[in-house]
Amino acid sequence: MAEKTLKSHAIWSVVLQFSRFGGNALVFLAMARFLTIEQIGAFGMAYAPVRWAQVLHKSGILSSVVVVVRRKKDNAEVEQDDPAFTALFWLAMLASVLVCGLIFLLALGLGRFSSIDASVDDMMLAMLIVPIAFGVSSVPEGLLQKNMQVKAIALRTLAVQLGSAAVALVLAMQGYGGWAMVWFAIMNAVLSSVASVFLAGWWPKGGPDLAMMRAHLPQMSAISGRGLVAGGVHALLQFSVGLAFGLAGAGAFQIAQRIHQILDALCLAPVRFLVLPLFSKATEKGDGTLPGAMVLRALTIAGLISAPVYCGTILVADPVLTLVIGAENASHAVPTLQILCCVGLSLSTGAILSQALTAVGRAGLAFWRVVGTLVITVLLAGPSMLVSVEAVTLGYVIAAYASMWIFLQRTTQIFDLTPRQAFTALARPYLAALIAFGPLFWLQHVVQADLHWSDAMTLVVIMPLAVAAYVLTSRLVAPTAFSNVIGSLNR
């Protein structure tokens, strides 16, 4: 019975991970067909600081609730009226007020000193309710996770997303433009907050206790700081691209970023979720150490899963986006998306090694990798802002690989591996994907440019060929990765 329950939690956790990271992006794509590239860019710029600040609640407060539980003795029951939870609630509300104040000042600054369309700062002001809603629900949602009510959280997330998406889609079809997305963000946040409070049945048991709040502030700040740095790259680029290249450039980057979010939810978010318990269990058996062979196996599996997703997206980005969001919007977003997908190998490396480092108590090294990516991206963003959106995106890709190489040099020795071993484990599946999909680029060009096939017909032909070609080349070029995945599926 315990094993069955564990499997159920795992399944619903994967559903929850995808709905959180990929669900909103899917809704965005469904609505994007009814919006212009400038309207998408306006929302992307307005939502960037709001989305970035969510880390304070979605990571900082939620994880702090878990920390409160873990610090109790094993035989101590953690009651929901524990004063620590009330202190965390008021910290969340304080964070919400600070975030709202900063976004308010940013909106005023845009309106006064920037030539960007006035709708951007109006959208920012309208979405000030989003941080408040997340602040109210952060502790209740943390308690739901503490009580392993994963199924309830997943179903709530799906129901709220579908309901909010239905209303927002109607608004988009009625010509409300980027404001349809604003209403989706607001409805999704408010309804999720109400549902979390109702499901958890929790509300603060008193007013702010400054001493208790100060006691929990360092832990919350440390957790939130890591999340803010990790999420800062895309938020910073989104906002900066809008300032440098206008709303059309911001729209192109927003579309590419949202699709990239779906790809992460499809192949890397589940991997990150599933490998950490396996690594932790192996570490417990190995007296705090993690076998290098296990890390290599995880790297090969992550590579074989992620390579066709990222490389395949580069292949079919043009016909797929044309069908989904229309030819005009696709023409702006396809080059940026194709460049952004080149970061797949770096992200896959980070996904596995970061979880491995967490399992052995060295999570700080993974944090410095994110810091390195952010710093190098900022350094490259200056000159690339003088060129194009694609140049800015390429700068981010270069930064990701530069920090990845430094990361490999510093971390692989912890698992008795060399940087070359770790890189090769992931690179072989990506090489297989390049060999498989290379000729299909030429074939796709021929059937569309010379034979004038429709996008749908092109995909009907290209997709099965891509799958068959990748299976064949991966067996030849990356046989170890292929056998590892087959072995895992047969377990």
Side-chain angles (χ1 to χ4, degrees), residues 46 50 103-104 107 119-131 179 182-183 185-186 190:
V50 177
I103 294 176
F104 179 78
S119 62
V120 175
D121 47 285
D122 290 339
M123 289 178 179
M124 280 186 182
L125 296 176
M127 287 189 286
L128 288 179
I129 193 174
V130 173
W179 283 97
V182 172
W183 279 108
I186 293 173
V190 172

Side-chain angles (χ1 to χ4, degrees), residues 8 15 178 349 357 391 428 455:
S8 175
V15 173
T349 305
L357 289 169
R428 282 184 174 274
D455 294 309

